[in-house]
Amino acid sequence: MSSGSWYRRAGEERDKARLYAKQKKELEPIVQSFSGSFSSVIQSINSNVSKVVQELKEGIRKNTAVTSNSEAVGEGNEFEALSDAKMSNCCSSLKAEINDLERKRQEAERRADEYQRYGDEELERERQERLRRIRESLSKA
């Protein structure tokens, strides 16, 4: 294979590596936003539930039914987003995809470096062959 072919293959692998890196970069903020974007909503819900329970207890006093019901409502706080099985599975799948993209990027970079080395070696062989031909033609002259 000619040096140009090896260099072309190295360039193709570097393009793949850049694509994998770009895809990984696009997915990372999504994973980071899972807990962050939902945490403020969850905190707001839990805060409102606590306020309602407190106002209910203050508004209707000494009623055991109200007290037990309000305590039951207060125990029903929302948990963080990743405690939900489907959200957790989704986040795990995204993390696995990010890891896979990183592995593919590294492999493409490794192949690109290997092809670059093959191209350099072939270029040197081609140069040596041209030099040999020039010497032969000069010795015949």
Side-chain angles (χ1 to χ4, degrees), residues 32-95:
Q32 292 170 355
S33 73
F34 263 99
S35 59
S37 65
F38 293 112
S39 67
S40 62
V41 173
I42 291 169
Q43 287 175 352
S44 176
I45 290 170
N46 289 338
S47 175
N48 287 337
V49 168
S50 296
K51 286 178 187 174
V52 167
V53 168
Q54 188 61 34
E55 289 178 10
L56 186 58
K57 285 181 180 178
E58 289 176 8
I60 305 174
R61 297 179 188 191
K62 297 183 183 182
N63 185 320
T64 56
V66 170
T67 302
S68 65
N69 287 336
S70 63
E71 287 173 359
V73 168
E75 292 172 0
N77 281 348
E78 291 293 319
F79 300 109
E80 69 176 63
L82 294 179
S83 66
D84 179 271
K86 290 181 181 179
M87 292 284 276
S88 181
N89 286 341
C90 180
C91 189
S92 294
S93 295
L94 281 171
K95 286 179 180 178

Side-chain angles (χ1 to χ4, degrees), residues 83-121:
S83 66
D84 179 271
K86 290 181 181 179
M87 292 284 276
S88 181
N89 286 341
C90 180
C91 189
S92 294
S93 295
L94 281 171
K95 286 179 180 178
E97 180 66 18
I98 288 170
N99 289 336
D100 190 47
L101 287 168
E102 176 60 19
R103 184 190 55 74
K104 287 178 178 180
R105 185 197 65 77
Q106 289 174 352
E107 181 62 24
E109 284 289 342
R110 186 197 61 75
R111 281 192 307 269
D113 291 344
E114 182 179 358
Y115 295 157
Q116 180 74 35
R117 189 179 78 250
Y118 292 159
D120 293 345
E121 291 168 0

